[in-house]
PDB file of all heavy atoms in Angstrom:
ATOM      1  N   ARG A   1      52.555 -24.567  69.695  1.00 75.00           N
ATOM      2  CA  ARG A   1      53.582 -24.116  70.640  1.00 75.00           C
ATOM      3  C   ARG A   1      53.858 -25.232  71.667  1.00 75.00           C
ATOM      4  O   ARG A   1      54.943 -25.498  72.078  1.00 75.00           O
ATOM      5  CB  ARG A   1      53.215 -22.829  71.331  1.00 75.00           C
ATOM      6  CG  ARG A   1      53.391 -21.606  70.404  1.00 75.00           C
ATOM      7  CD  ARG A   1      52.866 -20.315  70.974  1.00 75.00           C
ATOM      8  NE  ARG A   1      53.183 -19.160  70.141  1.00 75.00           N
ATOM      9  CZ  ARG A   1      52.648 -18.899  69.028  1.00 75.00           C
ATOM     10  NH1 ARG A   1      51.706 -19.714  68.478  1.00 75.00           N
ATOM     11  NH2 ARG A   1      53.032 -17.797  68.318  1.00 75.00           N
ATOM     12  N   LEU A   2      52.680 -25.900  72.054  1.00 68.00           N
ATOM     13  CA  LEU A   2      52.965 -27.060  72.992  1.00 68.00           C
ATOM     14  C   LEU A   2      53.695 -28.257  72.378  1.00 68.00           C
ATOM     15  O   LEU A   2      54.420 -28.864  73.036  1.00 68.00           O
ATOM     16  CB  LEU A   2      51.540 -27.507  73.554  1.00 68.00           C
ATOM     17  CG  LEU A   2      50.843 -26.576  74.513  1.00 68.00           C
ATOM     18  CD1 LEU A   2      49.425 -27.115  74.802  1.00 68.00           C
ATOM     19  CD2 LEU A   2      51.661 -26.483  75.837  1.00 68.00           C
ATOM     20  N   ASP A   3      53.426 -28.416  71.038  1.00 72.00           N
ATOM     21  CA  ASP A   3      54.122 -29.500  70.261  1.00 72.00           C
ATOM     22  C   ASP A   3      55.673 -29.089  70.329  1.00 72.00           C
ATOM     23  O   ASP A   3      56.488 -30.066  70.530  1.00 72.00           O
ATOM     24  CB  ASP A   3      53.723 -29.594  68.895  1.00 72.00           C
ATOM     25  CG  ASP A   3      52.318 -30.356  68.853  1.00 72.00           C
ATOM     26  OD1 ASP A   3      52.097 -31.158  69.727  1.00 72.00           O
ATOM     27  OD2 ASP A   3      51.619 -30.135  67.853  1.00 72.00           O
ATOM     28  N   LYS A   4      55.971 -27.811  70.067  1.00 72.00           N
ATOM     29  CA  LYS A   4      57.359 -27.442  70.118  1.00 72.00           C
ATOM     30  C   LYS A   4      58.040 -27.611  71.509  1.00 72.00           C
ATOM     31  O   LYS A   4      59.191 -28.096  71.694  1.00 72.00           O
ATOM     32  CB  LYS A   4      57.554 -26.044  69.713  1.00 72.00           C
ATOM     33  CG  LYS A   4      57.319 -25.805  68.183  1.00 72.00           C
ATOM     34  CD  LYS A   4      57.494 -24.341  67.811  1.00 72.00           C
ATOM     35  CE  LYS A   4      57.256 -24.108  66.340  1.00 72.00           C
ATOM     36  NZ  LYS A   4      57.495 -22.689  65.931  1.00 72.00           N
ATOM     37  N   ILE A   5      57.193 -27.244  72.624  1.00 72.00           N
ATOM     38  CA  ILE A   5      57.679 -27.459  73.933  1.00 72.00           C
ATOM     39  C   ILE A   5      57.952 -28.914  74.214  1.00 72.00           C
ATOM     40  O   ILE A   5      59.042 -29.363  74.781  1.00 72.00           O
ATOM     41  CB  ILE A   5      56.650 -26.936  74.959  1.00 72.00           C
ATOM     42  CG1 ILE A   5      56.608 -25.365  74.851  1.00 72.00           C
ATOM     43  CG2 ILE A   5      57.015 -27.379  76.369  1.00 72.00           C
ATOM     44  CD1 ILE A   5      55.540 -24.780  75.689  1.00 72.00           C
ATOM     45  N   ASN A   6      57.033 -29.768  73.738  1.00 67.00           N
ATOM     46  CA  ASN A   6      57.100 -31.204  73.943  1.00 67.00           C
ATOM     47  C   ASN A   6      58.358 -31.759  73.244  1.00 67.00           C
ATOM     48  O   ASN A   6      59.197 -32.615  73.734  1.00 67.00           O
ATOM     49  CB  ASN A   6      55.877 -31.944  73.569  1.00 67.00           C
ATOM     50  CG  ASN A   6      55.808 -33.358  74.032  1.00 67.00           C
ATOM     51  OD1 ASN A   6      56.060 -33.561  75.175  1.00 67.00           O
ATOM     52  ND2 ASN A   6      55.267 -34.273  73.262  1.00 67.00           N
ATOM     53  N   ARG A   7      58.566 -31.371  71.983  1.00 66.00           N
ATOM     54  CA  ARG A   7      59.638 -31.876  71.169  1.00 66.00           C
ATOM     55  C   ARG A   7      60.984 -31.337  71.674  1.00 66.00           C
ATOM     56  O   ARG A   7      61.964 -32.168  71.872  1.00 66.00           O
ATOM     57  CB  ARG A   7      59.488 -31.350  69.707  1.00 66.00           C
ATOM     58  CG  ARG A   7      60.470 -32.031  68.754  1.00 66.00           C
ATOM     59  CD  ARG A   7      60.216 -31.692  67.312  1.00 66.00           C
ATOM     60  NE  ARG A   7      60.215 -30.319  67.015  1.00 66.00           N
ATOM     61  CZ  ARG A   7      59.097 -29.509  66.769  1.00 66.00           C
ATOM     62  NH1 ARG A   7      57.945 -30.040  66.931  1.00 66.00           N
ATOM     63  NH2 ARG A   7      59.224 -28.245  66.536  1.00 66.00           N
ATOM     64  N   HIS A   8      61.072 -30.130  71.990  1.00 62.00           N
ATOM     65  CA  HIS A   8      62.349 -29.619  72.545  1.00 62.00           C
ATOM     66  C   HIS A   8      62.626 -30.081  74.031  1.00 62.00           C
ATOM     67  O   HIS A   8      63.824 -30.274  74.315  1.00 62.00           O
ATOM     68  CB  HIS A   8      62.303 -28.066  72.656  1.00 62.00           C
ATOM     69  CG  HIS A   8      62.350 -27.415  71.251  1.00 62.00           C
ATOM     70  ND1 HIS A   8      63.213 -27.804  70.301  1.00 62.00           N
ATOM     71  CD2 HIS A   8      61.525 -26.431  70.701  1.00 62.00           C
ATOM     72  CE1 HIS A   8      63.050 -27.032  69.245  1.00 62.00           C
ATOM     73  NE2 HIS A   8      61.996 -26.205  69.425  1.00 62.00           N
ATOM     74  N   SER A   9      61.668 -30.485  74.677  1.00 63.00           N
ATOM     75  CA  SER A   9      61.869 -31.136  75.959  1.00 63.00           C
ATOM     76  C   SER A   9      62.523 -32.491  75.851  1.00 63.00           C
ATOM     77  O   SER A   9      63.325 -32.894  76.575  1.00 63.00           O
ATOM     78  CB  SER A   9      60.484 -31.215  76.675  1.00 63.00           C
ATOM     79  OG  SER A   9      59.987 -30.067  77.087  1.00 63.00           O
ATOM     80  N   ASP A  10      62.020 -33.213  74.759  1.00 61.00           N
ATOM     81  CA  ASP A  10      62.564 -34.594  74.502  1.00 61.00           C
ATOM     82  C   ASP A  10      64.024 -34.376  74.099  1.00 61.00           C
ATOM     83  O   ASP A  10      64.912 -35.196  74.528  1.00 61.00           O
ATOM     84  CB  ASP A  10      61.851 -35.260  73.270  1.00 61.00           C
ATOM     85  CG  ASP A  10      60.454 -35.735  73.758  1.00 61.00           C
ATOM     86  OD1 ASP A  10      60.290 -35.870  74.953  1.00 61.00           O
ATOM     87  OD2 ASP A  10      59.603 -35.982  72.858  1.00 61.00           O
ATOM     88  N   GLU A  11      64.387 -33.363  73.227  1.00 56.00           N
ATOM     89  CA  GLU A  11      65.736 -33.108  72.815  1.00 56.00           C
ATOM     90  C   GLU A  11      66.611 -32.729  74.006  1.00 56.00           C
ATOM     91  O   GLU A  11      67.730 -33.246  74.174  1.00 56.00           O
ATOM     92  CB  GLU A  11      65.799 -32.081  71.840  1.00 56.00           C
ATOM     93  CG  GLU A  11      65.188 -32.357  70.468  1.00 56.00           C
ATOM     94  CD  GLU A  11      65.132 -31.248  69.517  1.00 56.00           C
ATOM     95  OE1 GLU A  11      65.508 -30.134  69.985  1.00 56.00           O
ATOM     96  OE2 GLU A  11      64.666 -31.366  68.366  1.00 56.00           O
ATOM     97  N   LEU A  12      66.062 -31.915  74.887  1.00 60.00           N
ATOM     98  CA  LEU A  12      66.855 -31.541  76.091  1.00 60.00           C
ATOM     99  C   LEU A  12      67.081 -32.726  77.030  1.00 60.00           C
ATOM    100  O   LEU A  12      68.087 -32.862  77.644  1.00 60.00           O
ATOM    101  CB  LEU A  12      66.119 -30.374  76.802  1.00 60.00           C
ATOM    102  CG  LEU A  12      66.910 -29.623  77.796  1.00 60.00           C
ATOM    103  CD1 LEU A  12      68.275 -29.130  77.358  1.00 60.00           C
ATOM    104  CD2 LEU A  12      66.028 -28.456  78.386  1.00 60.00           C
ATOM    105  N   THR A  13      66.017 -33.488  77.034  1.00 61.00           N
ATOM    106  CA  THR A  13      66.109 -34.707  77.984  1.00 61.00           C
ATOM    107  C   THR A  13      67.211 -35.653  77.450  1.00 61.00           C
ATOM    108  O   THR A  13      68.058 -36.237  78.221  1.00 61.00           O
ATOM    109  CB  THR A  13      64.856 -35.493  78.084  1.00 61.00           C
ATOM    110  OG1 THR A  13      63.812 -34.624  78.593  1.00 61.00           O
ATOM    111  CG2 THR A  13      64.858 -36.690  78.969  1.00 61.00           C
ATOM    112  N   SER A  14      67.242 -35.848  76.124  1.00 60.00           N
ATOM    113  CA  SER A  14      68.214 -36.666  75.486  1.00 60.00           C
ATOM    114  C   SER A  14      69.668 -36.103  75.768  1.00 60.00           C
ATOM    115  O   SER A  14      70.534 -36.924  76.127  1.00 60.00           O
ATOM    116  CB  SER A  14      68.003 -36.758  74.021  1.00 60.00           C
ATOM    117  OG  SER A  14      68.983 -37.539  73.401  1.00 60.00           O
ATOM    118  N   LEU A  15      69.777 -34.726  75.657  1.00 57.00           N
ATOM    119  CA  LEU A  15      71.087 -34.046  75.963  1.00 57.00           C
ATOM    120  C   LEU A  15      71.508 -34.372  77.383  1.00 57.00           C
ATOM    121  O   LEU A  15      72.644 -34.688  77.646  1.00 57.00           O
ATOM    122  CB  LEU A  15      70.950 -32.624  75.622  1.00 57.00           C
ATOM    123  CG  LEU A  15      72.116 -31.769  76.134  1.00 57.00           C
ATOM    124  CD1 LEU A  15      73.419 -32.163  75.398  1.00 57.00           C
ATOM    125  CD2 LEU A  15      71.824 -30.282  75.803  1.00 57.00           C
ATOM    126  N   VAL A  16      70.488 -34.172  78.266  1.00 60.00           N
ATOM    127  CA  VAL A  16      70.865 -34.340  79.707  1.00 60.00           C
ATOM    128  C   VAL A  16      71.237 -35.780  79.989  1.00 60.00           C
ATOM    129  O   VAL A  16      72.167 -36.107  80.710  1.00 60.00           O
ATOM    130  CB  VAL A  16      69.631 -33.955  80.630  1.00 60.00           C
ATOM    131  CG1 VAL A  16      69.833 -34.373  82.087  1.00 60.00           C
ATOM    132  CG2 VAL A  16      69.406 -32.469  80.546  1.00 60.00           C
ATOM    133  N   ASN A  17      70.550 -36.754  79.375  1.00 60.00           N
ATOM    134  CA  ASN A  17      70.965 -38.189  79.551  1.00 60.00           C
ATOM    135  C   ASN A  17      72.309 -38.465  79.009  1.00 60.00           C
ATOM    136  O   ASN A  17      73.127 -39.280  79.717  1.00 60.00           O
ATOM    137  CB  ASN A  17      69.822 -39.060  78.879  1.00 60.00           C
ATOM    138  CG  ASN A  17      68.584 -39.047  79.619  1.00 60.00           C
ATOM    139  OD1 ASN A  17      68.390 -38.809  80.841  1.00 60.00           O
ATOM    140  ND2 ASN A  17      67.476 -39.362  78.898  1.00 60.00           N
ATOM    141  N   ASP A  18      72.583 -37.892  77.841  1.00 57.00           N
ATOM    142  CA  ASP A  18      73.994 -38.099  77.345  1.00 57.00           C
ATOM    143  C   ASP A  18      75.064 -37.576  78.322  1.00 57.00           C
ATOM    144  O   ASP A  18      76.136 -38.122  78.565  1.00 57.00           O
ATOM    145  CB  ASP A  18      74.123 -37.470  75.959  1.00 57.00           C
ATOM    146  CG  ASP A  18      73.393 -38.276  74.872  1.00 57.00           C
ATOM    147  OD1 ASP A  18      73.044 -39.459  75.145  1.00 57.00           O
ATOM    148  OD2 ASP A  18      73.231 -37.706  73.805  1.00 57.00           O
ATOM    149  N   LEU A  19      74.842 -36.317  78.792  1.00 59.00           N
ATOM    150  CA  LEU A  19      75.793 -35.697  79.796  1.00 59.00           C
ATOM    151  C   LEU A  19      75.975 -36.589  80.988  1.00 59.00           C
ATOM    152  O   LEU A  19      77.029 -36.811  81.527  1.00 59.00           O
ATOM    153  CB  LEU A  19      75.262 -34.306  80.133  1.00 59.00           C
ATOM    154  CG  LEU A  19      75.501 -33.178  79.061  1.00 59.00           C
ATOM    155  CD1 LEU A  19      74.800 -31.992  79.453  1.00 59.00           C
ATOM    156  CD2 LEU A  19      76.913 -33.003  78.851  1.00 59.00           C
ATOM    157  N   LEU A  20      74.799 -37.113  81.510  1.00 56.00           N
ATOM    158  CA  LEU A  20      74.858 -37.963  82.683  1.00 56.00           C
ATOM    159  C   LEU A  20      75.641 -39.245  82.384  1.00 56.00           C
ATOM    160  O   LEU A  20      76.513 -39.694  83.188  1.00 56.00           O
ATOM    161  CB  LEU A  20      73.440 -38.284  83.081  1.00 56.00           C
ATOM    162  CG  LEU A  20      72.744 -37.213  83.999  1.00 56.00           C
ATOM    163  CD1 LEU A  20      71.279 -37.676  84.222  1.00 56.00           C
ATOM    164  CD2 LEU A  20      73.477 -37.093  85.334  1.00 56.00           C
ATOM    165  N   ASP A  21      75.454 -39.796  81.246  1.00 61.00           N
ATOM    166  CA  ASP A  21      76.144 -41.086  80.884  1.00 61.00           C
ATOM    167  C   ASP A  21      77.597 -40.808  80.747  1.00 61.00           C
ATOM    168  O   ASP A  21      78.429 -41.589  81.209  1.00 61.00           O
ATOM    169  CB  ASP A  21      75.626 -41.588  79.512  1.00 61.00           C
ATOM    170  CG  ASP A  21      74.226 -42.228  79.712  1.00 61.00           C
ATOM    171  OD1 ASP A  21      73.839 -42.536  80.842  1.00 61.00           O
ATOM    172  OD2 ASP A  21      73.431 -42.298  78.739  1.00 61.00           O
ATOM    173  N   ILE A  22      77.965 -39.728  80.062  1.00 59.00           N
ATOM    174  CA  ILE A  22      79.461 -39.413  79.971  1.00 59.00           C
ATOM    175  C   ILE A  22      80.099 -39.216  81.301  1.00 59.00           C
ATOM    176  O   ILE A  22      81.151 -39.699  81.606  1.00 59.00           O
ATOM    177  CB  ILE A  22      79.600 -38.135  79.079  1.00 59.00           C
ATOM    178  CG1 ILE A  22      79.203 -38.447  77.674  1.00 59.00           C
ATOM    179  CG2 ILE A  22      81.045 -37.603  79.126  1.00 59.00           C
ATOM    180  CD1 ILE A  22      79.181 -37.260  76.718  1.00 59.00           C
ATOM    181  N   SER A  23      79.422 -38.392  82.220  1.00 59.00           N
ATOM    182  CA  SER A  23      80.045 -38.182  83.541  1.00 59.00           C
ATOM    183  C   SER A  23      80.072 -39.428  84.305  1.00 59.00           C
ATOM    184  O   SER A  23      81.022 -39.648  85.049  1.00 59.00           O
ATOM    185  CB  SER A  23      79.127 -37.117  84.197  1.00 59.00           C
ATOM    186  OG  SER A  23      77.814 -37.557  84.448  1.00 59.00           O
ATOM    187  N   ARG A  24      79.067 -40.335  84.222  1.00 60.00           N
ATOM    188  CA  ARG A  24      79.065 -41.559  85.007  1.00 60.00           C
ATOM    189  C   ARG A  24      80.244 -42.428  84.469  1.00 60.00           C
ATOM    190  O   ARG A  24      80.856 -43.092  85.267  1.00 60.00           O
ATOM    191  CB  ARG A  24      77.745 -42.298  84.748  1.00 60.00           C
ATOM    192  CG  ARG A  24      76.568 -41.687  85.514  1.00 60.00           C
ATOM    193  CD  ARG A  24      75.307 -42.264  85.240  1.00 60.00           C
ATOM    194  NE  ARG A  24      74.163 -41.723  85.866  1.00 60.00           N
ATOM    195  CZ  ARG A  24      72.855 -41.936  85.624  1.00 60.00           C
ATOM    196  NH1 ARG A  24      72.585 -42.629  84.519  1.00 60.00           N
ATOM    197  NH2 ARG A  24      71.874 -41.307  86.297  1.00 60.00           N
ATOM    198  N   ILE A  25      80.375 -42.544  83.185  1.00 60.00           N
ATOM    199  CA  ILE A  25      81.433 -43.344  82.610  1.00 60.00           C
ATOM    200  C   ILE A  25      82.777 -42.838  83.069  1.00 60.00           C
ATOM    201  O   ILE A  25      83.717 -43.588  83.467  1.00 60.00           O
ATOM    202  CB  ILE A  25      81.411 -43.494  81.075  1.00 60.00           C
ATOM    203  CG1 ILE A  25      80.129 -44.212  80.694  1.00 60.00           C
ATOM    204  CG2 ILE A  25      82.597 -44.191  80.462  1.00 60.00           C
ATOM    205  CD1 ILE A  25      79.802 -44.265  79.184  1.00 60.00           C
ATOM    206  N   GLU A  26      82.953 -41.505  82.983  1.00 59.00           N
ATOM    207  CA  GLU A  26      84.254 -40.839  83.399  1.00 59.00           C
ATOM    208  C   GLU A  26      84.544 -41.112  84.833  1.00 59.00           C
ATOM    209  O   GLU A  26      85.721 -41.369  85.246  1.00 59.00           O
ATOM    210  CB  GLU A  26      84.146 -39.332  83.188  1.00 59.00           C
ATOM    211  CG  GLU A  26      84.354 -38.954  81.673  1.00 59.00           C
ATOM    212  CD  GLU A  26      84.385 -37.473  81.498  1.00 59.00           C
ATOM    213  OE1 GLU A  26      83.936 -36.780  82.497  1.00 59.00           O
ATOM    214  OE2 GLU A  26      84.879 -37.020  80.464  1.00 59.00           O
ATOM    215  N   SER A  27      83.489 -41.048  85.667  1.00 56.00           N
ATOM    216  CA  SER A  27      83.711 -41.318  87.171  1.00 56.00           C
ATOM    217  C   SER A  27      83.840 -42.719  87.513  1.00 56.00           C
ATOM    218  O   SER A  27      84.033 -43.092  88.692  1.00 56.00           O
ATOM    219  CB  SER A  27      82.666 -40.574  87.923  1.00 56.00           C
ATOM    220  OG  SER A  27      81.399 -41.110  87.661  1.00 56.00           O
ATOM    221  N   GLY A  28      83.538 -43.645  86.530  1.00 55.00           N
ATOM    222  CA  GLY A  28      83.570 -45.049  86.878  1.00 55.00           C
ATOM    223  C   GLY A  28      82.397 -45.607  87.547  1.00 55.00           C
ATOM    224  O   GLY A  28      82.347 -46.660  88.088  1.00 55.00           O
ATOM    225  N   LYS A  29      81.356 -44.809  87.514  1.00 57.00           N
ATOM    226  CA  LYS A  29      80.131 -45.213  88.187  1.00 57.00           C
ATOM    227  C   LYS A  29      79.202 -46.180  87.436  1.00 57.00           C
ATOM    228  O   LYS A  29      78.301 -46.815  87.884  1.00 57.00           O
ATOM    229  CB  LYS A  29      79.232 -43.995  88.601  1.00 57.00           C
ATOM    230  CG  LYS A  29      79.892 -43.051  89.609  1.00 57.00           C
ATOM    231  CD  LYS A  29      79.012 -41.837  89.975  1.00 57.00           C
ATOM    232  CE  LYS A  29      79.692 -41.002  90.969  1.00 57.00           C
ATOM    233  NZ  LYS A  29      78.934 -39.748  91.289  1.00 57.00           N
ATOM    234  N   VAL A  30      79.542 -46.224  86.060  1.00 63.00           N
ATOM    235  CA  VAL A  30      78.874 -47.097  85.178  1.00 63.00           C
ATOM    236  C   VAL A  30      79.637 -48.348  85.034  1.00 63.00           C
ATOM    237  O   VAL A  30      80.730 -48.321  84.598  1.00 63.00           O
ATOM    238  CB  VAL A  30      78.538 -46.481  83.803  1.00 63.00           C
ATOM    239  CG1 VAL A  30      77.970 -47.480  82.817  1.00 63.00           C
ATOM    240  CG2 VAL A  30      77.718 -45.219  83.909  1.00 63.00           C
ATOM    241  N   THR A  31      79.067 -49.473  85.414  1.00 68.00           N
ATOM    242  CA  THR A  31      79.736 -50.768  85.349  1.00 68.00           C
ATOM    243  C   THR A  31      79.240 -51.531  84.077  1.00 68.00           C
ATOM    244  O   THR A  31      78.097 -51.671  83.800  1.00 68.00           O
ATOM    245  CB  THR A  31      79.470 -51.695  86.540  1.00 68.00           C
ATOM    246  OG1 THR A  31      79.821 -50.998  87.804  1.00 68.00           O
ATOM    247  CG2 THR A  31      80.184 -52.972  86.570  1.00 68.00           C
ATOM    248  N   MET A  32      80.301 -51.839  83.236  1.00 74.00           N
ATOM    249  CA  MET A  32      79.905 -52.517  82.001  1.00 74.00           C
ATOM    250  C   MET A  32      79.584 -54.000  82.295  1.00 74.00           C
ATOM    251  O   MET A  32      80.408 -54.754  82.877  1.00 74.00           O
ATOM    252  CB  MET A  32      81.088 -52.406  80.963  1.00 74.00           C
ATOM    253  CG  MET A  32      81.383 -51.038  80.580  1.00 74.00           C
ATOM    254  SD  MET A  32      80.011 -50.344  79.614  1.00 74.00           S
ATOM    255  CE  MET A  32      80.537 -48.563  79.578  1.00 74.00           C
ATOM    256  N   LYS A  33      78.395 -54.426  81.876  1.00 81.00           N
ATOM    257  CA  LYS A  33      78.003 -55.784  82.116  1.00 81.00           C
ATOM    258  C   LYS A  33      78.305 -56.643  80.981  1.00 81.00           C
ATOM    259  O   LYS A  33      77.578 -56.909  79.996  1.00 81.00           O
ATOM    260  CB  LYS A  33      76.502 -55.873  82.422  1.00 81.00           C
ATOM    261  CG  LYS A  33      76.050 -54.990  83.617  1.00 81.00           C
ATOM    262  CD  LYS A  33      74.542 -54.935  83.810  1.00 81.00           C
ATOM    263  CE  LYS A  33      74.092 -54.083  84.882  1.00 81.00           C
ATOM    264  NZ  LYS A  33      72.650 -54.038  85.040  1.00 81.00           N
ATOM    265  N   HIS A  34      79.573 -57.112  80.947  1.00 83.00           N
ATOM    266  CA  HIS A  34      80.142 -57.907  79.869  1.00 83.00           C
ATOM    267  C   HIS A  34      79.444 -59.318  79.744  1.00 83.00           C
ATOM    268  O   HIS A  34      79.218 -59.957  80.724  1.00 83.00           O
ATOM    269  CB  HIS A  34      81.557 -58.126  79.975  1.00 83.00           C
ATOM    270  CG  HIS A  34      82.415 -56.892  79.784  1.00 83.00           C
ATOM    271  ND1 HIS A  34      82.616 -55.948  80.910  1.00 83.00           N
ATOM    272  CD2 HIS A  34      82.970 -56.269  78.730  1.00 83.00           C
ATOM    273  CE1 HIS A  34      83.326 -54.929  80.475  1.00 83.00           C
ATOM    274  NE2 HIS A  34      83.569 -55.105  79.174  1.00 83.00           N
ATOM    275  N   GLN A  35      79.063 -59.603  78.435  1.00 89.00           N
ATOM    276  CA  GLN A  35      78.586 -60.912  78.272  1.00 89.00           C
ATOM    277  C   GLN A  35      78.850 -61.281  76.746  1.00 89.00           C
ATOM    278  O   GLN A  35      79.099 -60.457  75.947  1.00 89.00           O
ATOM    279  CB  GLN A  35      76.993 -61.019  78.532  1.00 89.00           C
ATOM    280  CG  GLN A  35      76.294 -59.973  77.583  1.00 89.00           C
ATOM    281  CD  GLN A  35      74.743 -60.014  77.991  1.00 89.00           C
ATOM    282  OE1 GLN A  35      74.352 -60.882  78.744  1.00 89.00           O
ATOM    283  NE2 GLN A  35      74.057 -59.104  77.412  1.00 89.00           N
ATOM    284  N   ALA A  36      78.783 -62.613  76.421  1.00 89.00           N
ATOM    285  CA  ALA A  36      79.020 -63.033  75.032  1.00 89.00           C
ATOM    286  C   ALA A  36      77.930 -62.529  74.140  1.00 89.00           C
ATOM    287  O   ALA A  36      76.697 -62.529  74.530  1.00 89.00           O
ATOM    288  CB  ALA A  36      79.142 -64.551  75.030  1.00 89.00           C
ATOM    289  N   GLY A  37      78.252 -61.975  73.068  1.00 90.00           N
ATOM    290  CA  GLY A  37      77.292 -61.518  72.054  1.00 90.00           C
ATOM    291  C   GLY A  37      77.668 -61.705  70.664  1.00 90.00           C
ATOM    292  O   GLY A  37      78.816 -61.974  70.379  1.00 90.00           O
ATOM    293  N   ASP A  38      76.661 -61.740  69.798  1.00 91.00           N
ATOM    294  CA  ASP A  38      76.912 -61.896  68.372  1.00 91.00           C
ATOM    295  C   ASP A  38      76.888 -60.590  67.709  1.00 91.00           C
ATOM    296  O   ASP A  38      75.799 -59.869  67.691  1.00 91.00           O
ATOM    297  CB  ASP A  38      75.902 -62.866  67.786  1.00 91.00           C
ATOM    298  CG  ASP A  38      76.242 -63.176  66.375  1.00 91.00           C
ATOM    299  OD1 ASP A  38      76.163 -62.335  65.501  1.00 91.00           O
ATOM    300  OD2 ASP A  38      76.504 -64.395  66.125  1.00 91.00           O
ATOM    301  N   LEU A  39      78.036 -60.168  67.213  1.00 91.00           N
ATOM    302  CA  LEU A  39      78.145 -58.858  66.545  1.00 91.00           C
ATOM    303  C   LEU A  39      77.094 -58.620  65.399  1.00 91.00           C
ATOM    304  O   LEU A  39      76.585 -57.554  65.257  1.00 91.00           O
ATOM    305  CB  LEU A  39      79.564 -58.672  66.093  1.00 91.00           C
ATOM    306  CG  LEU A  39      79.941 -57.268  65.624  1.00 91.00           C
ATOM    307  CD1 LEU A  39      79.800 -56.248  66.744  1.00 91.00           C
ATOM    308  CD2 LEU A  39      81.382 -57.225  65.105  1.00 91.00           C
ATOM    309  N   LYS A  40      76.974 -59.696  64.685  1.00 91.00           N
ATOM    310  CA  LYS A  40      75.994 -59.593  63.452  1.00 91.00           C
ATOM    311  C   LYS A  40      74.626 -59.328  63.896  1.00 91.00           C
ATOM    312  O   LYS A  40      73.906 -58.485  63.341  1.00 91.00           O
ATOM    313  CB  LYS A  40      76.046 -60.877  62.721  1.00 91.00           C
ATOM    314  CG  LYS A  40      75.284 -60.858  61.400  1.00 91.00           C
ATOM    315  CD  LYS A  40      75.488 -62.106  60.514  1.00 91.00           C
ATOM    316  CE  LYS A  40      74.756 -61.979  59.196  1.00 91.00           C
ATOM    317  NZ  LYS A  40      75.002 -63.201  58.364  1.00 91.00           N
ATOM    318  N   ASN A  41      74.172 -59.995  65.030  1.00 91.00           N
ATOM    319  CA  ASN A  41      72.773 -59.733  65.558  1.00 91.00           C
ATOM    320  C   ASN A  41      72.641 -58.325  66.097  1.00 91.00           C
ATOM    321  O   ASN A  41      71.628 -57.663  65.807  1.00 91.00           O
ATOM    322  CB  ASN A  41      72.466 -60.762  66.715  1.00 91.00           C
ATOM    323  CG  ASN A  41      72.421 -62.245  66.160  1.00 91.00           C
ATOM    324  OD1 ASN A  41      72.095 -62.405  64.959  1.00 91.00           O
ATOM    325  ND2 ASN A  41      72.546 -63.130  67.032  1.00 91.00           N
ATOM    326  N   ILE A  42      73.736 -57.830  66.788  1.00 91.00           N
ATOM    327  CA  ILE A  42      73.668 -56.507  67.278  1.00 91.00           C
ATOM    328  C   ILE A  42      73.492 -55.432  66.143  1.00 91.00           C
ATOM    329  O   ILE A  42      72.625 -54.571  66.174  1.00 91.00           O
ATOM    330  CB  ILE A  42      74.920 -56.119  68.053  1.00 91.00           C
ATOM    331  CG1 ILE A  42      75.006 -57.016  69.296  1.00 91.00           C
ATOM    332  CG2 ILE A  42      74.951 -54.656  68.510  1.00 91.00           C
ATOM    333  CD1 ILE A  42      76.316 -56.895  70.097  1.00 91.00           C
TER     334      ILE A  42
END
């Protein structure tokens, strides 16, 4: 039961993080740090 609590806590944390990221991007609070990158390496 503790394993399930731990696993579901991770899932819920991931959900909360996604919600926070979406709201931050919508509100313009997240600044994109643009830099040159290689698409193939990514």
Side-chain angles (χ1 to χ4, degrees):
R1 284 171 173 75
L2 286 174
D3 282 336
K4 288 182 178 181
I5 291 172
N6 196 39
R7 187 171 62 255
H8 289 312
S9 295
D10 288 338
E11 293 174 355
L12 193 54
T13 299
S14 177
L15 171 61
V16 169
N17 287 336
D18 284 346
L19 284 171
L20 278 172
D21 288 337
I22 290 173
S23 63
R24 286 170 180 168
I25 294 173
E26 283 183 342
S27 62
K29 293 179 180 178
V30 175
T31 303
M32 297 296 167
K33 300 176 181 178
H34 293 85
Q35 58 183 353
D38 189 293
L39 190 60
K40 187 173 183 179
N41 291 339
I42 295 173

